Structures are given as structure tokens and as C-alpha cells.
Amino acid sequence: MTLDISSAPTPSDTTDHAPPSAPTGPPPPGARRAQLLRDVPASLAVFLIAVPFSLGIALATGAPLTAGLVSAAVGGLVVGLLGGTPLQVSGPSAALTVVTAGLLAQYGWQIACAVTVAAGLLQLLLGSLRVARAALAVSPAIVHGMLAGVGLTIALAQLHVVLGGSPQSSAAANLVALPAQLAGPHLPALAVGLVSIAVLFGWPRLDRLPGRAGELGGRLAKIPAALASVAAATALAVFAGLRLARVELPEWDHHVLASMPPASLLAQQWPALVAAVLTVTAVASVESLLSAVAVDRMSHSSSDLDRELRGQGAANLLSGLLGGLPVAGGAVRSTANIQAGAATRMSTVLHGCWVLLAAVALTGGLRHIPLAALAALVLVVGVQMVSFAHIRRVHRHREFPVYLATVLGVVLLGVPLGVTIGGAVAALLALYRLTRAHVDVVAEADGSYAVRTHGPLTFAAVPKLSRALARIPVGSSVTVCHDGSFLDHAAYEALHVWRAGHQATGGRVAILTKRQEGEVLDPDGTLRSGSSTGPHRCRAWTPWVGHHCIEQGSDDPHGRLLDGVRGFQQHTAPLVRKELARLARDGQTPSQLFLTCADSRMVTSMITNSGPGDLFTVRNVGNLVPAPHEPGAADDSVAAAVQYAVEVLEVGSITVCGHSGCGAMKALLDGVHEQPGPPTALTRWLRNGRGSLARLRRVPAEFEGRPVVDTVEQLCITNVVQQLDQLLANPAVERRVASGELRLVGMYFDFATAQAYVLDQDSGRFVPVSAGPAGLPEGQDGPDGQAEQELAA
């Protein structure tokens, strides 16, 4: 299985919110070697981006070019070792370019470095106070908007370099200058850039070539595409003798370290210096934490943000002392790191080593690389940060205004102001939704009126509420039903005054609120609870999430069942009646057979997000598929269901789904099926699991990225693999699988974490399903670099 940007990093040792099943011990030697084989190429790919980035930011601030390499090396080594986001790559902060340039112009380079040192100390303090988790409250629309804005800004700047020109000081200036640059490009630079982009996109597809070329291409495709693209473009420039701007690595003879500001300057300028320290601290911290949250979303991991902030503080402290630029987590470098397949923090550390090595010993070789080749590489990474999948997602959640405001703010005003604007739009949107209410007046057949309110009734909704109530004829009977959302004093007072006036004209008013406990407002305005007549007290689709919705003292299970059916008839049946009528008329046409356990906690329609007619479901103890060759243990009911699904319904996939804590697996491990004496029905049935026990001893199944909790869990997932094999013993299944018309899928559901896993056929391991737009398995590439291949089940 090819893991792209959904590669899961190793959780930090001190993370506060790592998954319960995250591995805590060191990986086995084989896994460590496999991780290193992914980390080394990824570190080289990030190194190729970090060098021109660092030099470009140093040049833009007016600082010594060596300062960019110092901050890149320190960011990789220090934050890579100490940070709490393993796959985040830190380096000189693009968001602080203007701030650093101002400090340098006003106070000189050494004092600018001293400000960086002070900002690092303040970050260490803030990380120790554990305030970094506030970044988790940032809307995903702001995070994705920040990534897209940074990507567009970088792409616009690098496009000028690819065309043979020089980037301007801002994204707006780059846009203004772009038409003139397009009208007169530098053809050699453009040719080198296009070759670099072509190799970058074509290199991973070499294995698709026909015949022997495909075999050779498959071996070559293991080389990082970024490395291949830069090598090809450099070879073209060297052998063709093209005159191009190339990488200019600086000399170290005149490198300047930090120094304390003079006492006279501190006495005169201390307010401005304190403000500068606070600005650098705030911008670097926000940029790093937002990038860390974005990395978590891309890699499906969980960071220790306080540890990350402390790591950034240590890096800024050391970078300032060594004469480097301010350091922050970088969205572009981190995205490239994940896309290149990095597995652990070693990729970040190695990238810092390569930067240090290049700055000291490899200056001669790197000076042959054309800037246009590196710019093309960075341009592609920047464009890929604008994800259409993210745009569709935020649009579906009605957060597109936040996303757009953040993108435009970052592009036009920079990261700090852009994120601030996005946050302001998010707050205004939330406030609008909190004060938005619908009031519907419906005339009933008996001459009465029903007033239904939806959403919070606050002072902002009082005019709308008053207009609706004024349309009701005097003397009529009215039922006002509030949906249970917030009701503030102003809205309550308006409702109370209207009711008193309406009752004074001879009308009747009943005010109800559909709250979880079935509360009713008495005529005097007090709440009276317990209006529900049965044990179920919650509305449709909300009750099951808590047993608190059911009276625990009731000793009539059948009564609870009938009350639940009544609730279905009242609330849910009107919603599904049309679809069920269509299914009754047209017959069932499910696309999948879902074979799972009879455990009461396994709600198949919930974990597959399916509805009536979607799944042909078979449930039994232990989700077993009896093999025909098992003497005295076969069961024709399962085989009949499989045959009917495959031959009559012609389903496209069969999913065998196990679950955690399976009682049947525990019984198998306890040897219930081997007990002496006359076999019971359960004993005979469990004998169908003997093949799973044998497989457990030979080749136990494993998870991708985490160890099994115990032997029971290992047997649960091994049993899924075994039952898939036993399914193939059915001739109808074997025939359709061989023809490619049927797919077999292994699935496992962990109740404790509500996490589903699917069996990857290539690696033979169970891979966690991500929380992406379609509930997708991690490690499958998609258009936005995230898991985008649909789950077959």
C-alpha cells in the first residue's frame, strides 16, 4: 500500500490527546528500517525546498543569507527532536518577513537577533503554562484557508522565478506584475521550469508504462519525484549550456551573531522592543500552532501542542543566538514532507542535517542547480495546497465565507491578519446563526393554529416572532411549539405578553417546548416536566446516544420496545415512508452483503451510514462463515444467504465485519467448542471458528500503525481474514471474484474508540478509516492529497 500525505506519524511521548491505542514503545527493528526508508527520501525532498525558501526569506528581510540557512538547520534539528508535531517542518518564518525587515532597518541585525532570543524565551514560558491547546478551537475552514492562502502566495512568487524574473514584495504586487512577466518570459528559465514540473508529475507514473519499461519505471519511481525533477532540470541546464540564475550559497566569513542591546537603547526604546518581542512571539506561535493543526488534519495524527510550542521556543532561542531568522512551523515544508511519505520525526531531523551539510560542505554542487527548477518545485507544492476537496467540504458545512475571507486575507495582508480576518468572519457567522430563528404559522383543519419555532429565540428574533403572532385571528385556539433551543428573557416576555392579550380576547393558548425531557410550559409560564407518557423521552434520532433518555426503573422491556415503535411511527415513519414504499414496489437492490456479529452494540446502519435497501445484512454469533469442509459444523443458513446475495441480488461486494470484545472469540480462546460431553448448539456453531484459531497460531493479523490490545482483539481481526478465505470456498463467490464482478472486504470496528478499520489487501494489515468527506481509509491517495478512495463497504 502506498501511503501519501495520510502517513501517520509516531505520537509524541507526552501527548495529551493521543489515541488510546497509539503505540508507546519503540518500533521493532523491521518497522524502524521501513520507517527510515520512507524518512530519508522525504527529508531530501524537503531539503530541496528548504534551501531556496531559507535563502529567499533572508534576502527579502535584508538579513545575511547565512541567517536563512542557520534558521532552517536549527528548525529541523531542534524542533524535529523536541517538538510535539513529528511531521511538521520548521524554518524561517515567511509571516515575519515584514516584521524582521523593520527591526533590522531600525535597530540593526544583532538587536533583531536579540529580539528573536527573547521571543524564544517567551514561547518556552507559554508552552510551560500549557496555553497552546487554544489552537484546537480554530475552525477547520480557517486552517484550510490559511494553507490555501500561503500556497497561493508562494505559487505567485515562484511563478515569476519560473518565467525568468524576480518575485515582488507581496502577492498583490506579484499579481500586478504578472501580465508583463508573461508577455516577456525568459525562455531558458521557462524551459527548465516546465521540464521540472513535467518530471515531477510524470515520475510517479513510470510504473504504468507497458512491458519491461513499466518494470524499470517501477524501480525508478522509488526515487523521490522532487529529487528526480531537480536532477533532470539541472542536467538540462548544464548540458545545454543555458545561462540561468542558479543557487548562490553564501560565505560564512562575515556571519554575525546576536548581541545584547546597549543599555542606553534599552532605556529609550524598551516599549518598542517589548512590542517587537510580543509581535514576534505571537506571530511565530500562531503560525506554528495553526500549521501543526493543519498537519494533524493531513496526516490523521494527534499532536502535543504545548510541547510543540516549547520546541519552537527552544529553536528561536538557539537561532537568535547563532544569528538566524525567527523560526516557525511552515505549511509549505510540512505539506511537502507529508506528501513525500515521511513516517516519523526523523525526516524533519534529517532535513536539518542536509541543510547544515549543504551550507558547510556541498556549496559547489548545489551552485549548479537553476533557481527556476527549485521555483517550479515550490510552485507545484503551493498550488497543491489549494484543495478543491477542502473547498467542497467547507461549502457543505456552510463555512465557505470563512474560508474565502481567510484566503483573501492571507494573500493580500499576510498570515497574521488573514487568520484574524477569518476568525472575525467565523465569529460573525456563528453570531448570525445563534440569533437566526424561523417562525412558521400553520392553519390546522379544525380551525386552530399551530406556531412552530426553530432555532434560538433571542431579542433579535422578537420582531419576527411578533409579526407572526400578530397574523393569528383573535379568539382562535393556538398551540405554540418551540423546538427546545435557547429562549432568552426578551423572547419569553414577548411570548408571555402576547399570550395574555390573546387569552383576554377569548382565545386559548398552549405553549410546548420539545426538550429532551418533554417539558411543557404551563399557562403561568412555569416549566412542567415529564409530559412524555412512555419510558422514551427523547425525540427521534437523538435518544439512543444515551440511556439517560430511557427510564431505568422500568421493568417492562416489551413496553419500552413498543414505546420505541410508537416513537418511530410518530417521528420517523413520515420521513422514510416514501422511500420504503418505493422499495416495496420495486423490490430490493442492495449493492453489498454485510456479514457481521449479532452483538447488540453493532449497529450496521450507523457505522456504514446506510439506509433502507442499501445493505443485505446477515448476522450471527462471531460473524462466522461456515466452510463446507468443516465436518459437523456447517450451517446452511449463512451459505444460503451468501448464495442469494451473490446469484440473485448480484451484490458487488461482501464485507465481513468483526468487532472488539467479541464474546464468540473469547469463547474460542477459552476452548468452549472443545468441551467434553454432548455438544450444545453453541458448541457446534463455534467449531466454525477453529480455522481462525489455527490462523492465529500461524499468521496473526495486525493493525497498521498500532499494536493489538490483547489476544482477543488479535483473534477478532484474524477471524475476519479467515472468514474471507472461507467465503471463497463458496463456488458462486469464487466464480464472481475471479471474474472481477465481486469484491471481498474485511472490516473491524472498535467500540471503545468508535473507529472502523478495513483490511488492506496489499499489506495484509487493518488500516484505520479516516474522518474524510466520504469516510475513507487512510493511505489512499486523492485529489487533495488526502484519503479519497471510497470504502467498498
Side-chain angles (χ1 to χ4, degrees):
M1 180 181 62
T2 302
L3 291 180
D4 195 6
I5 74 162
S6 55
S7 307
T10 304
S12 58
D13 297 333
T14 59
T15 181
D16 295 322
H17 47 277
S21 57
T24 55
R32 191 181 299 111
R33 181 175 179 273
Q35 291 172 348
L36 193 61
L37 289 176
R38 292 167 56 187
D39 287 334
V40 172
S43 68
L44 290 171
V46 178
F47 157 71
L48 290 172
I49 293 176
V51 169
F53 256 47
S54 304
L55 296 177
I57 292 174
L59 188 65
T61 59
L65 293 182
T66 50
L69 295 179
V70 167
S71 56
V74 170
L77 293 170
V78 176
V79 183
L81 291 171
L82 303 180
T85 310
L87 296 189
Q88 173 157 273
V89 181
S90 299
S93 170
L96 282 167
T97 301
V98 177
V99 176
T100 307
L103 285 172
L104 193 149
Q106 186 173 0
Y107 302 112
W109 175 241
Q110 289 183 303
I111 295 180
C113 290
V115 170
T116 303
V117 171
L121 290 172
L122 186 54
Q123 283 181 307
L124 285 171
L125 176 62
L126 293 175
S128 301
L129 295 176
R130 307 183 71 82
V131 299
R133 285 180 244 180
L136 294 175
V138 177
S139 166
I142 296 177
V143 176
H144 296 317
M146 182 203 70
L147 289 175
V150 170
L152 286 175
T153 303
I154 296 300
L156 282 172
Q158 299 307 310
L159 181 57
H160 282 273
V161 180
V162 171
L163 293 171
S166 299
Q168 306 299 314
S169 59
S170 66
N174 281 321
L175 275 174
V176 172
L178 188 58
Q181 190 71 63
L182 288 170
H186 185 252
L187 294 181
L190 181 59
V192 168
L194 291 178
V195 167
S196 181
I197 292 173
V199 174
L200 193 63
F201 281 103
W203 195 260
R205 295 170 174 80
L206 290 177
D207 57 351
R208 301 180 186 178
L209 296 174
R212 292 182 176 273
E215 297 178 6
L216 177 61
R219 289 192 289 268
L220 290 175
K222 295 179 181 179
I223 301 173
L227 187 59
S229 69
V230 172
T234 303
L236 172 65
V238 171
F239 290 115
L242 301 178
R243 301 184 64 181
L244 295 169
R246 302 180 188 273
V247 172
E248 296 182 7
L249 289 180
E251 301 293 339
W252 292 89
D253 296 341
H254 306 292
H255 184 70
V256 180
L257 302 180
S259 67
M260 279 292 295
S264 58
L265 181 64
L266 284 175
Q268 296 173 2
Q269 300 286 337
W270 70 265
L273 290 174
V274 170
V277 171
L278 293 176
T279 300
V280 172
T281 302
V283 174
S285 301
V286 169
E287 185 180 11
S288 299
L289 294 177
L290 288 181
S291 295
V293 173
V295 168
D296 283 350
R297 298 187 190 282
M298 287 188 290
S299 60
H300 310 287
S301 58
S302 185
S303 298
D304 183 344
L305 296 181
D306 293 304
R307 176 179 172 180
E308 179 65 23
L309 188 55
R310 293 193 295 271
Q312 297 290 339
N316 274 313
L317 174 62
L318 186 59
S319 178
L321 289 174
L322 296 179
L325 293 166
V327 171
V332 176
R333 293 179 292 259
S334 302
T335 301
N337 189 39
I338 297 172
Q339 287 180 339
T344 69
R345 67 176 67 244
M346 187 54 64
S347 170
T348 303
V349 176
L350 287 175
H351 129 269
C353 294
W354 305 144
V355 172
L356 186 61
L357 182 63
V360 175
L362 301 180
T363 56
L366 291 176
R367 287 194 177 107
H368 291 293
I369 300 176
L371 283 181
L374 294 176
L377 175 64
V378 178
L379 185 150
V380 170
V381 174
V383 170
Q384 289 177 340
M385 292 172 68
V386 184
S387 167
F388 287 102
H390 289 157
I391 294 174
R392 289 193 298 268
R393 195 174 310 150
V394 299
H395 185 270
R396 187 166 59 245
H397 291 285
R398 299 184 299 164
E399 296 286 336
F400 184 73
V402 178
Y403 178 89
L404 183 61
T406 306
V407 171
L408 294 178
V410 170
V411 170
L412 298 177
L413 302 173
V415 173
L417 287 177
V419 170
T420 302
I421 291 172
V425 173
L428 291 174
L429 191 61
L431 183 62
Y432 167 73
R433 289 172 177 167
L434 285 174
T435 57
R436 187 182 180 187
H438 295 280
V439 181
D440 301 319
V441 179
V442 180
E444 303 290 357
D446 58 358
S448 63
Y449 287 82
V451 179
R452 297 185 177 91
T453 66
H454 309 277
L457 287 181
T458 64
F459 64 92
V462 169
K464 181 184 295 186
L465 178 64
S466 299
R467 286 194 300 270
L469 295 176
R471 297 199 301 267
I472 299 176
V474 296
S476 57
S477 178
V478 183
T479 301
V480 180
C481 185
H482 183 42
D483 66 357
S485 299
F486 179 70
L487 179 72
D488 76 352
H489 181 73
Y492 170 78
E493 193 68 28
L495 200 57
H496 179 78
V497 170
W498 172 82
R499 180 182 59 189
H502 191 77
Q503 289 175 338
T505 63
R508 298 180 57 191
V509 179
I511 301 179
L512 311 177
T513 175
K514 296 179 183 175
R515 297 206 176 185
Q516 185 173 325
E517 302 266 332
E519 295 168 340
V520 178
L521 282 172
D522 279 332
D524 61 355
T526 59
L527 285 174
R528 172 167 52 87
S529 63
S531 63
S532 177
T533 57
H536 284 273
R537 294 177 147 193
C538 297
R539 288 193 298 157
W541 302 110
T542 61
W544 77 271
V545 304
H547 48 277
H548 60 272
C549 298
I550 301 176
E551 294 180 359
Q552 298 301 303
S554 173
D555 57 355
D556 183 12
H558 180 64
R560 291 203 302 270
L561 177 66
L562 287 182
D563 192 71
V565 174
R566 294 187 191 100
F568 166 81
Q569 294 298 148
Q570 179 180 359
H571 300 291
T572 309
L575 303 176
V576 299
R577 185 172 289 121
K578 183 177 179 180
E579 177 64 13
L580 291 178
R582 184 191 66 80
L583 291 171
R585 181 180 65 252
D586 300 339
Q588 60 173 332
T589 56
S591 58
Q592 301 132 29
L593 166 61
F594 199 84
L595 196 153
T596 188
C597 187
D599 192 294
S600 64
R601 300 165 295 178
M602 180 63 71
V603 187
T604 57
S605 59
M606 179 184 67
I607 66 172
T608 59
N609 200 26
S610 56
D614 291 341
L615 299 180
F616 185 70
T617 306
V618 175
R619 306 183 66 152
N620 61 52
V621 175
N623 47 273
L624 300 175
V625 181
H629 57 269
E630 287 283 350
D635 186 296
D636 287 339
S637 66
V638 177
V642 171
Q643 183 177 357
Y644 182 75
V646 172
E647 295 184 347
V648 179
L649 299 177
E650 296 183 340
V651 297
S653 71
I654 301 178
T655 299
V656 176
C657 182
H659 65 87
S660 59
C662 181
M665 299 301 106
K666 294 177 183 177
L668 281 172
L669 288 173
D670 292 340
V672 172
H673 61 291
E674 303 290 354
Q675 288 181 350
T680 64
L682 180 60
T683 301
R684 288 194 300 271
W685 174 252
L686 288 179
R687 288 175 181 173
N688 292 300
R690 288 179 292 191
S692 301
L693 285 174
R695 180 183 285 266
L696 180 67
R697 290 189 291 268
R698 299 193 320 270
V699 281
E702 301 285 350
F703 289 104
E704 179 78 30
R706 78 165 178 91
V708 294
V709 175
D710 51 27
T711 307
V712 174
E713 184 174 60
Q714 191 145 48
L715 179 58
C716 288
I717 59 176
T718 303
N719 178 61
V720 171
V721 181
Q722 177 65 24
Q723 301 314 310
L724 291 175
D725 284 353
Q726 292 181 187
L727 263 175
L728 284 173
N730 186 304
V733 173
E734 184 181 22
R735 182 173 59 253
R736 290 199 63 207
V737 169
S739 66
E741 301 174 285
L742 180 65
R743 180 181 178 185
L744 302 185
V745 179
M747 189 173 179
Y748 174 78
F749 189 76
D750 182 20
F751 290 128
T753 59
Q755 176 64 59
Y757 298 80
V758 291
L759 176 65
D760 180 75
Q761 298 297 337
D762 295 330
S763 67
R765 293 172 178 264
F766 282 81
V767 181
V769 178
S770 73
L776 313 166
E778 294 182 9
Q780 305 295 338
D781 304 336
D784 66 329
Q786 296 195 25
E788 291 282 341
Q789 180 175 333
E790 291 191 8
L791 175 63

